[in-house]
Amino acid sequence: MRFLSESPSLHAHCYRVLDDNGQLIRHSNFIQVSEDIAVKMYSNMVTLQTLDTIFYEAQRQGRISFYVTTIGEEAINIASAAALTLDDFVFPQYREPGVLLWRGFTLQEFANQCFGNKADYGKGRQMPIHYGSNKHKYFTVSSTIATQIPHAVGAAYSLKMDKKDACAVTYFGDGGTSEGDFHAALNFAAVTEAPVIFICRNNGWAISTPTSDQFRSDGIAVRGQAYGVRSIRVDGNDVLAIYSAVHAARKMAVNEHRPILIEAVTYRVGHHSTSDDSTKYRPADEIEWWRMARDPVTRFRKWIESNGWWSSEAESQLRSSIRNQLLQAIQLAEKVEKPPVKDLFTDVYDDLPPNLREQEKLLRETINRHPKDYPADVPL
Amino acid sequence: MKLEMGTGTALRNIIGRRFGHGWKRPFSTATCDVENQHSANANTNAKSINLYSAINQALHIALETDPRAFVFGEDVSFGGVFRCTTGLADRFGKTRVFNTPLCEQGIVGFGIGLAAMGNRAIAEIQFADYIYPAFDQIVNEAAKFRYRSGNQFNCGGLTIRAPYGAVGHGGHYHSQSPEAFFCHVPGIKVVIPRSPMQAKGLLLSCIRDPNPVVFFEPKWLYRLAVGEVPEHDYMLPLSEAEVIRKGSDITLVGWGAQLSIMEQACIDAEKDGISCELIDLKTLIPWDKETVEASVRKTGRVLISHEAPVTGGFGAEISASIVERCFLRLEAPVARVCGLDTPFPLVFEPFYMPTKNKILDTIKATVNY
């Protein structure tokens, strides 16, 4: 009689390509990345970082109501996006705007959603950072945790049935893996043999809950085997490791019709959101250490610079250019009017049912009687 | 082959099912001729079949007419615990008709993803009593999928089917009527058929409707409701209630299996000179207020009946709406004859249920108010 131990004798191996100084680890095997792709990845990471800094500030100034940063997780966002193709469908949690950025969502489009103006594709219905873009195959963010994971499995099944050279990809945090939907999705993916990549950003924190209060397994990667899903643990702050792992995962998912689970180990440098002050539950010096010593952006910069593909001139030029574009995007987005009040009622169904037509009529009568109760920037 | 129909006579068997103390639950004899109007034409082939066979026919047609339609859920592959999915896997293959793991949140979550890619995802939940693990996916995801995306995405191709309602011996977990929970969710539709002929046409409409739909099938009627069902592909409109018995003294509103009980009460009331108008709501949200209101304007009285517990049941919504619209016309308070505010009991089922006599007593009390 032999019980399987609750924990493996060795932690699951963590795949890495670059060391902390951005130098290739000897004998590491990885997919070569061209200068173009490398520089594009780096520029996107810098853009994401700058976007976060400026939009966070905008929230602090009261210009937008809410914001969520991706600080510390730029490598996961950009490198995973770069390893996918534009035919793949993305089901994000909410800390993956970099995937959308890589695919071509503009700074203006980000700003429009955060301001909920009439150019927002979401028609002003959701809080900031709830981006979605069908032309980029990026499903709209919802605040609910892990609900997107089984969606990705159903979508992947559809792609398999259509024999597409494409997969579904879904992202979630360490906290999300405690939800029932995570468990349900991995199990369904294995049984239905769906070409889906599950990418877990294990960043150590679910708001104030550290992973020691979240689970007792050896992280997330080991759970794959429990469902019959192939998995890997990767250094989430290593661009080349993420790129290679996602590239390999995609190939297996599409060619073998199998799900893959990737645990990207990282750290959430920023607060959970603008409604959070993480110094209340973790030491400030821990945050600083991860922000400085283990910054994925700096680490990758060292590598591209050592290849002669980047310079400090290029750096300052990029940062100031992005900064200006962002400030302009915000100024513009702030001035654009909100969507009209009719968009309160549309899209609940494909068509307006009688109860909503009636409610709109009554609402308009109320607005006429009490115009001061209503914001001036929402056209009637 | 012409559809043979005696005037006002149903071609259904009225087989009561004895339970304990001689308590009988017949099923609807309601107006074949009214239903007949919805058949495409008089030369349609129709066979006398039961409810689960009618559902099965609808599913066969759905998969045959749309190569992107899928049927999935627990035990659907061998035909399903109620035989609604018989023959589908053999005919359409196991990539389109397949068992899922035992996980309702997964069934619906997977279904949403499938539907979001433009497929018709027909998900089965084995009993409505087990739909709750999927409630988050239905309320927070399916219902809001189109709206929150600014109409960039939608999961309109999703249809969730579940057997609901009393079955004589189901107890807490094989008898529930959870429709009220779902009627409070903008963005989905809730549809409940009363008969085999209705079920086939309504289910096909639900499957093809561009909005996510929850379709509750009265399990009591799966075998026992038998009726003429046209063999061809036909659809019945959603959000249109149907007057299945005309009357002038009181309006009764119901859905699903309860209509047959209400109908028996109407027949008995007629012997006492009370003329009852009976309406099948069919779609609970968005519901057809106009038809109900027009009837109440005629009769001045309304009685709503459902198996689900009375407090917070969907009857409350109908009552409030009718009072808002028809207050001065009403001759009596709106009456509700519903299940009790208890979990669905086993031995006490006959006491819990809104029986014919409870309805009849309430009809008389309302008419004599």
Side-chain angles (χ1 to χ4, degrees):
Chain A
M1 177 175 81
R2 204 199 290 171
F3 285 73
L4 295 174
S5 171
E6 71 277 7
S7 67
S9 43
L10 285 172
H11 284 301
H13 170 72
C14 186
Y15 171 60
R16 261 192 153 197
V17 175
L18 293 174
D19 65 18
D20 281 336
N21 285 319
Q23 302 312 306
L24 286 174
I25 294 172
R26 227 147 34 117
H27 307 306
S28 65
N29 94 59
F30 67 102
I31 294 176
Q32 297 293 344
V33 153
S34 69
E35 176 180 350
D36 277 345
I37 301 284
V39 169
K40 186 176 178 199
M41 285 200 284
Y42 182 73
S43 309
N44 271 266
M45 289 168 76
V46 170
T47 304
L48 178 56
Q49 226 180 29
T50 316
L51 166 74
D52 274 351
T53 310
I54 293 190
F55 277 42
Y56 188 90
E57 271 313 298
Q59 193 278 341
R60 282 311 189 228
Q61 294 164 16
R63 295 164 88 184
I64 57 177
S65 60
F66 176 78
Y67 193 71
V68 165
T69 64
T70 307
I71 311 281
E73 302 181 51
E74 296 88 349
I76 296 175
N77 269 239
I78 302 300
S80 68
L84 299 169
T85 74
L86 294 178
D87 293 329
D88 302 321
F89 285 80
V90 178
F91 291 82
Q93 180 62 79
Y94 49 60
R95 216 179 288 279
E96 306 91 15
V99 177
L100 192 50
L101 178 68
W102 174 271
R103 288 181 161 210
F105 209 60
T106 66
L107 302 179
Q108 192 63 62
E109 286 171 318
F110 281 107
N112 291 337
Q113 196 283 328
C114 287
F115 281 88
N117 64 34
K118 77 167 189 234
D120 168 25
Y121 302 131
K123 301 182 188 171
R125 290 158 179 163
Q126 291 209 90
M127 290 165 72
I129 69 96
H130 289 65
Y131 313 111
S133 176
N134 56 0
K135 66 183 183 214
H136 298 107
K137 298 190 172 68
Y138 187 96
F139 278 83
T140 303
V141 172
S142 65
S143 320
T144 43
I145 298 295
T147 50
Q148 72 281 5
I149 312 178
H151 301 171
V153 182
Y157 190 82
S158 177
L159 291 170
K160 179 173 84 160
M161 288 300 294
D162 288 341
K163 299 183 165 42
K164 295 264 198 259
D165 177 8
C167 66
V169 186
T170 182
Y171 298 81
F172 43 90
D174 40 285
T177 67
S178 296
E179 280 283 2
D181 277 341
F182 167 82
H183 154 83
L186 260 70
N187 198 34
F188 269 66
V191 170
T192 60
E193 298 173 7
V196 55
I197 306 175
F198 300 107
I199 301 181
C200 175
R201 295 175 292 93
N202 181 352
N203 64 21
W205 297 93
I207 308 188
S208 70
T209 306
T211 51
S212 55
D213 289 345
Q214 195 65 250
F215 45 72
R216 290 301 163 90
S217 52
D218 170 26
I220 312 307
V222 296
R223 300 199 196 170
Q225 192 171 61
Y227 298 108
V229 174
R230 192 173 292 171
S231 59
I232 188 170
R233 168 175 290 155
V234 180
D235 178 342
N237 289 4
D238 179 345
V239 169
L240 296 182
I242 293 283
Y243 185 90
S244 291
V246 174
H247 191 277
R250 186 187 180 282
K251 217 162 165 201
M252 286 187 276
V254 174
N255 296 341
E256 299 172 45
H257 296 143
R258 64 166 64 251
I260 307 287
L261 170 64
I262 298 177
E263 176 186 3
V265 184
T266 182
Y267 187 85
R268 193 198 74 210
V269 172
H271 306 304
H272 165 70
S273 73
T274 48
S275 305
D276 177 45
D277 172 10
S278 59
T279 60
K280 287 196 176 349
Y281 49 80
R282 56 186 188 174
D285 54 6
E286 173 187 303
I287 305 171
E288 272 320 289
W289 183 71
W290 278 92
R291 182 194 305 278
M292 303 309 290
R294 311 210 69 183
D295 175 28
V297 183
T298 314
R299 187 166 161 196
F300 193 55
R301 178 181 172 180
K302 290 179 180 165
W303 188 70
I304 58 172
E305 276 183 344
S306 70
N307 285 343
W309 297 343
W310 198 250
S311 65
S312 25
E313 291 83 46
E315 180 82 14
S316 42
Q317 215 169 33
L318 177 65
R319 285 194 184 264
S320 67
S321 162
I322 298 293
R323 196 185 149 75
N324 287 334
Q325 287 174 54
L326 281 163
L327 292 173
Q328 270 192 349
I330 288 185
Q331 275 175 22
L332 187 52
E334 206 162 28
K335 294 198 191 85
V336 174
E337 66 184 0
K338 302 302 183 205
V341 81
K342 80 162 172 53
D343 280 337
L344 165 53
F345 299 99
T346 54
D347 306 329
V348 179
Y349 297 95
D350 67 306
D351 209 357
L352 270 184
N355 58 322
L356 288 185
R357 274 187 262 127
E358 185 185 1
Q359 287 171 25
E360 183 174 359
K361 177 169 154 290
L362 292 173
L363 178 64
R364 287 186 185 279
E365 287 168 13
T366 306
I367 296 169
N368 277 339
R369 276 196 302 273
H370 307 280
K372 294 214 180 80
D373 284 355
Y374 301 99
D377 58 354
V378 178
L380 298 176
Chain B
M1 188 184 101
K2 254 196 160 147
L3 204 66
E4 301 244 277
M5 207 67 63
T7 318
T9 311
L11 285 176
R12 282 185 201 81
N13 308 320
I14 306 175
I15 303 168
R17 192 183 147 93
R18 299 227 154 246
F19 179 87
H21 316 280
W23 171 83
K24 246 176 160 173
R25 287 201 69 217
F27 37 82
S28 179
T29 58
T31 55
C32 276
D33 22 83
V34 177
E35 287 179 356
N36 204 20
Q37 286 158 23
H38 290 284
S39 291
N41 59 63
N43 289 328
T44 317
N45 276 345
K47 286 221 173 71
S48 199
I49 59 172
N50 64 24
L51 182 69
Y52 77 72
S53 302
I55 302 279
N56 186 249
Q57 275 189 22
L59 295 174
H60 273 269
I61 289 170
L63 266 62
E64 167 188 307
T65 54
D66 187 348
R68 299 185 68 103
F70 298 81
V71 169
F72 51 94
E74 295 156 24
D75 302 296
V76 302
S77 190
F78 88 104
V81 295
F82 289 111
R83 320 226 322 231
C84 294
T85 53
T86 308
L88 295 174
D90 284 341
R91 186 166 169 211
F92 298 103
K94 62 189 176 121
T95 59
R96 290 182 67 196
V97 180
F98 49 93
N99 292 337
T100 61
L102 209 170
C103 179
E104 288 76 13
Q105 70 191 101
I107 291 169
V108 175
F110 175 91
I112 290 170
L114 197 55
M117 298 292 278
N119 301 293
R120 302 221 178 271
I122 307 164
E124 176 174 307
I125 298 292
Q126 196 155 91
F127 282 84
D129 312 58
Y130 313 141
I131 200 167
Y132 308 109
F135 199 65
D136 182 39
Q137 284 287 343
I138 295 169
V139 173
N140 273 331
E141 304 299 311
K144 298 170 173 60
F145 212 80
R146 184 192 294 274
Y147 191 79
R148 74 188 187 198
S149 75
N151 200 23
Q152 294 187 91
F153 300 105
N154 74 78
C155 62
L158 177 66
T159 302
I160 301 167
R161 302 174 34 245
Y164 89 99
V167 72
H169 54 273
H172 297 352
Y173 304 111
H174 297 83
S175 315
Q176 289 179 42
S177 297
E179 69 273 6
F181 297 114
F182 298 93
C183 291
H184 195 55
V185 186
I188 57 170
K189 297 192 177 182
V190 177
V191 177
I192 306 183
R194 71 171 183 273
S195 71
M197 186 274 187
Q198 289 290 314
K200 179 175 171 180
L202 287 171
L203 180 55
L204 280 168
S205 291
C206 291
I207 290 168
R208 292 161 175 168
D209 190 275
N211 297 287
V213 183
V214 180
F215 186 77
F216 287 118
E217 301 166 358
K219 69 173 81 69
W220 173 250
L221 302 184
Y222 272 149
R223 287 177 192 273
L224 300 182
V226 176
E228 293 285 301
V229 178
E231 291 191 313
H232 64 276
D233 180 348
Y234 66 94
M235 291 162 60
L236 296 173
L238 300 186
S239 294
E240 278 185 32
E242 184 185 348
V243 177
I244 63 175
R245 183 191 177 91
K246 279 189 158 357
S248 51
D249 294 329
I250 180 171
T251 301
L252 280 78
V253 183
W255 49 87
Q258 189 63 8
L259 284 166
S260 70
I261 310 299
M262 297 166 83
E263 197 188 4
Q264 295 306 308
C266 293
I267 291 169
D268 280 11
E270 184 143 54
K271 300 189 183 119
D272 286 323
I274 301 172
S275 163
C276 299
E277 181 142 294
L278 181 58
I279 298 178
D280 178 3
L281 207 59
K282 302 207 240 186
T283 300
L284 270 59
I285 54 161
W287 68 281
D288 179 2
K289 296 185 190 180
E290 241 176 75
T291 298
V292 178
E293 188 184 344
S295 174
V296 177
R297 290 205 176 283
K298 190 171 63 162
T299 64
R301 296 175 189 85
V302 60
L303 183 158
I304 306 149
S305 186
H306 56 66
E307 281 178 30
V310 63
T311 298
F314 196 62
E317 154 63 24
I318 299 171
S319 174
S321 276
I322 291 304
V323 170
E324 272 168 11
R325 292 158 168 266
C326 306
F327 179 68
L328 290 176
R329 176 64 187 94
L330 288 169
E331 305 287 335
V334 176
R336 292 180 294 165
V337 184
C338 303
L340 303 176
D341 289 335
T342 68
F344 200 104
L346 180 69
V347 165
F348 309 112
E349 176 169 333
F351 300 86
Y352 168 95
M353 290 292 280
T355 57
K356 179 203 79 168
N357 281 329
K358 283 185 183 174
I359 296 170
L360 187 56
D361 286 351
T362 307
I363 290 173
K364 291 176 181 166
T366 304
V367 165
N368 294 326
Y369 187 78

